[in-house]
Amino acid sequence: AGPSGRLACTAGCSEEVLGMLREAATFTGNTAAVQSFGALLQLLGEGPCPIARLLADLGRLYIVGPGTSVGLHDFEAGLDDCDLSESDLFGLLGLSRPQMTYAYWLMSGAPRHHLPRLLLPLAAPSEGSIAMDFGSGHGEDAAFFLALNYTVLAVEAQRPAAARPLRRLPPR
């Protein structure tokens, strides 16, 4: 832990691990991302690297599903303990703490009425708040913001993906 009592998130991380974090964090399923994530998991066995462990927990949840990673509370605590500024974290991963928390919460199967602390500011939109979801896929994010009383503009270019949310969302 550093002087503030926070975990030095890059302590014990090799330059090789730090260099592959951003590609491994894309979780796109493309060959380079899958190879980077696989290599990251192998390198984690060689030593501690807290930021890579957080990413590995998120990736295992994304790829394998609930029951394969730490619980939501522990994941959020790990993000809280990380000494990186929001800018430095985003620079390493291309992800922010709220993005990581939202993804973990969404995939973890945690009760939808239990919003993690980092997402609580989203739960109190001001009158007329609009959320825009570009590349909306099957509409999970749009449904989340609709449930919080946002007006949502969701755009999806792939017709099969775009049709699914329209069938499941109530007309307004």
Side-chain angles (χ1 to χ4, degrees), residues 4-168:
S4 66
R6 298 180 84 189
L7 185 63
C9 269
T10 57
C13 300
S14 69
E15 288 300 316
E16 184 179 11
V17 167
L18 291 174
M20 69 175 52
L21 287 174
R22 193 172 185 94
E23 180 69 37
T26 60
F27 303 121
T28 59
N30 73 38
T31 303
V34 170
Q35 288 174 344
S36 289
F37 187 73
L40 178 70
L41 291 178
Q42 287 180 334
L43 289 172
L44 279 177
E46 298 174 11
C49 179
I51 189 65
R53 293 215 178 273
L54 283 168
L55 182 61
D57 285 334
L58 179 60
R60 276 192 291 273
L61 183 61
Y62 177 74
I63 294 167
V64 182
T68 60
S69 291
V70 300
L72 176 61
H73 177 76
D74 291 335
F75 183 78
E76 191 174 25
L79 282 174
D80 284 342
D81 290 343
C82 179
D83 68 338
L84 295 173
S85 69
E86 202 58 49
S87 176
D88 289 342
L89 181 72
F90 191 82
L92 274 174
L93 301 177
L95 297 168
S96 67
R97 280 178 178 83
Q99 285 174 311
M100 292 176 74
T101 301
Y102 175 67
Y104 210 89
W105 172 76
L106 191 65
M107 294 182 287
S108 71
R112 293 299 174 238
H113 64 275
H114 172 72
L115 275 181
R117 183 190 45 73
L118 286 171
L119 301 180
L120 288 177
L122 298 174
S126 59
E127 184 71 30
S129 291
I130 298 173
M132 292 185 266
D133 183 8
F134 296 99
S136 60
H138 293 294
E140 288 85 2
D141 295 340
F144 168 74
F145 284 104
L146 282 170
L148 294 176
N149 294 318
Y150 283 79
T151 297
V152 177
L153 170 63
V155 178
E156 176 55 57
Q158 304 299 318
R159 284 186 188 270
R164 186 171 175 223
L166 293 176
R167 286 193 303 269
R168 74 176 199 180

